[in-house]
Amino acid sequence: KAGVTQTPRYLIKTRGQQVTLSCSPISGHRSVSWYQQTPGQGLQFLFEYFSETQRNKGNFPGRFSGRQFSNSRSEMNVSTLELGDSALYLCASSPLTGGTEAFFGQGTRLTVV
Amino acid sequence: SQELEQSPQSLIVQEGKNLTINCTSSKTLYGLYWYKQKYGEGLIFLMMLQKGGEEKSHEKITAKLDEKKQQSSLHITASQPSHAGIYLCGADGGNQAGTALIFGKGTTLSVSS
């Protein structure tokens, strides 16, 4: 069974630009969650999508958004990039929402210059 | 809001030695996850504990969730260089809206041969 796939693995963007990251969950999994990992703040929850609906949202500005498609693949978008958005972005795939194992992808390393 | 504190922050052990990592929550744990991460990479799912008193093992790693469900420990027996990495505990705070894990800051394990 293929694992969680995130693309691209690495990305360099300029301040003010926008970026879209993609996550393909494990086949059959309907929940996709996104996390931001930085050395200072650690791992922080961004949002969760289940059956194309946002179920939960962390404490991030509206520049961070996401969506989920009917095949459960998910994208997250960050607009008007700031230097502080440089981080490892991880997505996690779960069969259901809440209380089930969550499997993470390899992450997308975003660098904003 | 719920917080997870991991101890120790880092440790260095000699190959073959046993070690324990602790994760203490400020609130009752409804689901406790243990992950391992190599620097800059994705999280590898180790195990999930849900019931007070529950104990699970995988190869030489054993995790327990205490009866009061506010602390978990991860024990590695006869450590090997392959065990080196960052160990993270994550908690599902019982948010009925879905999956939104919060994480501890991690414990960095080095194994010297």
Side-chain angles (χ1 to χ4, degrees), chain B residues 6-25:
Chain B
Q6 286 186 239
S7 61
Q9 276 190 312
S10 63
L11 72 162
I12 303 172
V13 299
Q14 198 171 14
E15 185 177 355
K17 296 295 185 183
N18 302 337
L19 64 108
T20 299
I21 298 169
N22 292 305
C23 175
T24 301
S25 172

Side-chain angles (χ1 to χ4, degrees), chain A residues 35 37 48 97-100 102 105, chain B residues 33 35 37 42 48 92 98-99 101:
Chain A
Y35 294 81
Q37 187 177 35
E48 182 207 8
T97 179
T100 60
Chain B
Y33 302 72
Y35 291 91
Q37 185 180 31
M48 173 186 169
D92 181 348
T99 302
L101 300 181

Side-chain angles (χ1 to χ4, degrees), chain A residues 61-79:
Chain A
R63 299 185 297 107
F64 292 81
S65 62
R67 59 177 176 169
Q68 187 179 34
F69 302 95
S70 58
N71 62 359
S72 294
R73 188 177 71 85
S74 177
E75 289 181 345
M76 71 161 276
N77 183 277
V78 189
S79 62

Side-chain angles (χ1 to χ4, degrees), chain A residues 13-83:
Chain A
K13 288 287 187 178
T14 305
R15 266 184 308 175
Q17 287 187 311
Q18 74 165 13
V19 67
T20 300
L21 312 181
S22 179
C23 174
S24 292
I26 293 170
S27 178
H29 285 195
R30 294 164 60 192
S31 167
V32 174
S33 301
W34 289 89
Y35 294 81
Q36 181 196 66
Q37 187 177 35
T38 59
Q41 299 298 318
L43 260 171
Q44 292 186 288
F45 171 77
L46 279 157
F47 29 66
E48 182 207 8
Y49 286 88
F50 179 78
S51 294
E52 302 179 65
T53 302
Q54 188 179 86
R55 293 298 302 268
N56 221 339
K57 190 176 190 306
N59 189 25
F60 278 82
R63 299 185 297 107
F64 292 81
S65 62
R67 59 177 176 169
Q68 187 179 34
F69 302 95
S70 58
N71 62 359
S72 294
R73 188 177 71 85
S74 177
E75 289 181 345
M76 71 161 276
N77 183 277
V78 189
S79 62
T80 320
L81 284 165
E82 300 176 0
L83 295 178

Side-chain angles (χ1 to χ4, degrees), chain A residues 83-101:
Chain A
L83 295 178
D85 296 333
S86 295
L88 180 66
Y89 289 89
L90 295 159
C91 84
S93 158
S94 300
L96 300 171
T97 179
T100 60
E101 294 92 337

